Amino acid sequence: MTNVENPYAPSRTTTEGRVFNLTGGDWDQVFAGADPIHDERLVLNMGPQHPSTHGVLRLVVELEGETVTDLRTVIGYLHTGIEKNTEFRTWTQGVTFLTRADYLSPIFNETVYCLGVEKLLGVEVPERARLIRVLMMELNRVSSHWVALATGGMEMGALTAMTNGLRARERCLDMLEMISGLRMNHAYVRPGGVAQDLPENAVPRLRQWIEDISGEITGLRGLLSDQPIWVNRLKGVGWLGVEGCMSLGITGPMLRAAGLPWDLRKTEPYMGYENFDFDVPTQEGGDCFSRFLVRVDEMAESVKIIAQVLDRLEPGPVWVDDPKIAWPAKLSIGPDGMGNSLEHVQRIMTSSMESLIHHFKLVTEGFRVPAGQVYSAVESPRGELGAHVVSDGGTRPYRVHLREPSFVNLQATAALSVGGMISDVIAAVGSIDPVMGGVDR
């Protein structure tokens, strides 16, 4: 076999073995053929530790003075391996990995995966479970947008937007915790339904939340919409029109801020969204300011959907009527946290050996899913979130792959930034609202 030297990792043989010298390829490519005397280009590494890159994102920015002439995104620093890990867990356990992908919108990761599994199983969840899923997703959408607006405000120097935004997000996390038991990484949506029903006091607390969060949204809109510094920092900055969005596969608030009302909840309805009364906010500017306005309006629409869910909730099951799938089907919240109810534990431990065996096999081995592959999609806070789920007929996923909107939308970073000032790069990246857990899943 011929030993071909790798130009990006030249090596030499030493007494300790072969040693590789990893070179800085990005820098070498930028400066190839450059005139060191007359070339005034400056290459700046922004990240992967920079506080304004929304996680471990590295931007290699080429500057002429303060103007950006070239920009490249470098990803892969988080590399969680979530998709691969699901292949070594049961179908239900896979939820606990996928919920951590885009950690600001975990409910959407769980739901899109479970929709795919349920397509393969050929089952439909009960109406109450569907409504609870919609409730949780819209709560999560509001929570995620608050983070986008709060961190964007902090990066633009609007510290009151940051403090108010994170305060409002805490209100959202309080509701998610009340329902699921956790503030993040819930593993609440599971194949066949949801882990447990709403607690007894959920509806009145959610109605109070609607009143409180509506005031927070109105306050943020009044604080920033006409604030001169905020408007000047965002208006006309980071422009990307509909044609550019379509060419790059951009979805979500970025696409709607360019004027196209594409929202999967309306265009390709799922989970009964076609039965809810809500609008798809759009703007025509296609810039950072338009994306800010779209996200504020979307939060108000999500609150409207949640109010409709509360009006429609009727008593009923939250799992499919199939004990071979619905696990764990007897959860409760007690003084010691979340677990199987005492009644269920007593029955399987004292009165029914068959129930104990079934429970043990369902927990350890899981249920089988018919062989096949499906694609399911939901409208996440960042755009179209899709799940390609493949089964070989076993108790574990053969393959799970996410169509992650943060990953796709990051392609637009250079288009938004080149030709602008270096200070505008911060605004542009913030308006994309990328979450690196989803990008490097």
Side-chain angles (χ1 to χ4, degrees):
M1 181 177 177
T2 305
N3 184 16
V4 179
E5 188 72 22
N6 187 333
Y8 297 104
S11 62
R12 69 184 189 277
T13 302
T14 70
T15 56
E16 301 296 326
R18 184 173 292 275
V19 175
F20 292 89
N21 180 27
L22 301 178
T23 60
D26 290 322
W27 297 88
D28 294 345
Q29 293 171 26
V30 169
F31 284 111
D35 183 343
I37 298 177
H38 300 98
D39 197 325
E40 297 182 356
R41 288 181 297 171
L42 171 67
V43 177
L44 175 69
N45 265 303
M46 185 180 294
Q49 302 95 346
H50 197 283
S52 295
T53 56
H54 291 251
V56 280
L57 170 66
R58 175 184 171 205
L59 303 176
V60 181
V61 187
E62 183 179 336
L63 302 170
E64 286 277 1
E66 289 281 329
T67 302
V68 178
T69 58
D70 193 14
L71 183 144
R72 278 167 290 169
T73 57
V74 185
I75 63 175
Y77 291 95
L78 201 55
H79 52 76
T80 50
I82 286 172
E83 293 172 336
K84 190 65 178 176
N85 274 310
T86 60
E87 299 173 18
F88 302 93
R89 298 294 188 275
T90 67
W91 291 96
T92 300
Q93 290 169 342
V95 175
T96 62
F97 281 98
L98 292 168
T99 189
R100 289 164 165 80
D102 180 344
Y103 36 76
L104 290 184
S105 54
I107 297 295
F108 293 89
N109 305 334
E110 300 169 17
T111 301
V112 73
Y113 165 74
C114 291
L115 287 175
V117 177
E118 288 156 5
K119 280 184 182 179
L120 290 170
L121 288 169
V123 300
E124 289 190 10
V125 300
E127 176 66 16
R128 184 173 178 87
R130 280 202 299 270
L131 288 172
I132 293 175
R133 285 182 177 184
V134 171
L135 166 69
M136 293 293 282
M137 283 191 287
E138 296 309 318
L139 271 170
N140 202 179
R141 190 186 312 277
V142 177
S143 168
S144 179
H145 280 350
W146 275 122
V147 177
L149 296 169
T151 55
M154 178 178 62
E155 290 154 7
M156 295 295 100
L159 294 183
T160 306
M162 183 267 290
T163 55
N164 289 6
L166 294 182
R167 178 185 66 194
R169 186 209 183 206
E170 285 297 306
R171 297 181 187 272
C172 302
L173 296 185
D174 288 342
M175 296 299 102
L176 293 171
E177 181 182 25
M178 172 190 67
I179 295 170
S180 72
L182 294 167
R183 300 175 78 77
M184 295 176 66
N185 303 329
H186 312 274
Y188 178 76
V189 180
R190 304 186 186 182
V194 295
Q196 62 185 13
D197 205 343
L198 299 177
E200 292 182 2
N201 62 340
V203 172
R205 287 190 62 184
L206 284 165
R207 293 196 187 279
Q208 182 61 50
W209 174 86
I210 289 174
E211 183 178 335
D212 294 340
I213 212 70
S214 298
E216 295 277 10
I217 295 170
T218 301
L220 183 78
R221 197 192 306 270
L223 176 69
L224 294 179
S225 294
D226 297 316
Q227 212 283 334
I229 298 176
W230 180 260
V231 173
N232 291 336
R233 285 299 307 273
L234 299 183
K235 210 158 196 178
V237 172
W239 180 86
L240 188 66
V242 173
E243 295 82 2
C245 290
M246 297 293 287
S247 299
L248 294 171
I250 306 300
T251 55
M254 290 187 68
L255 178 59
R256 294 189 283 274
L260 185 64
W262 181 267
D263 187 316
L264 293 181
R265 295 174 295 174
K266 287 284 191 182
T267 56
E268 298 176 11
Y270 56 93
M271 298 301 299
Y273 270 108
E274 65 274 15
N275 300 319
F276 290 93
D277 178 24
F278 68 99
D279 298 321
V280 178
T282 59
Q283 293 288 327
E284 300 296 328
D287 56 8
C288 294
F289 189 69
S290 296
R291 292 169 206 136
F292 154 72
L293 294 176
V294 164
R295 288 190 174 98
V296 174
D297 291 339
E298 282 189 4
M299 289 195 295
E301 295 302 315
S302 290
V303 172
K304 285 170 53 177
I305 295 173
I306 292 170
Q308 294 173 62
V309 169
L310 298 180
D311 291 337
R312 298 180 187 184
L313 278 175
E314 296 289 344
V318 295
W319 282 101
V320 294
D321 187 18
D322 186 345
K324 294 182 179 180
I325 297 173
W327 171 83
K330 302 293 182 181
L331 286 180
S332 63
I333 295 181
D336 57 345
M338 185 188 298
N340 285 297
S341 68
L342 295 178
E343 294 82 2
H344 180 63
V345 173
Q346 183 178 19
R347 186 172 69 85
I348 66 176
M349 293 298 291
T350 62
S351 61
S352 175
M353 176 60 72
E354 291 78 9
S355 295
L356 178 60
I357 294 171
H358 172 69
H359 181 88
F360 179 80
K361 286 181 66 65
L362 204 55
V363 171
T364 57
E365 182 182 302
F367 51 80
R368 293 187 177 275
V369 172
Q373 57 180 324
V374 297
Y375 177 80
S376 56
V378 299
E379 185 69 34
S380 88
R382 274 154 283 283
E384 180 179 338
L385 172 63
H388 180 206
V389 183
V390 185
S391 172
D392 61 358
T395 60
R396 300 176 179 180
Y398 180 77
R399 186 77 175 94
V400 176
H401 176 65
L402 297 181
R403 189 270 183 201
E404 232 294 332
S406 289
F407 177 78
V408 179
N409 293 354
L410 267 181
Q411 295 179 102
T413 309
L416 301 179
S417 304
V418 172
M421 308 292 282
I422 186 173
S423 59
D424 296 336
V425 174
I426 306 300
V429 173
S431 72
I432 296 174
D433 184 27
V435 176
M436 302 310 294
V439 174
D440 294 340
R441 72 224 170 272

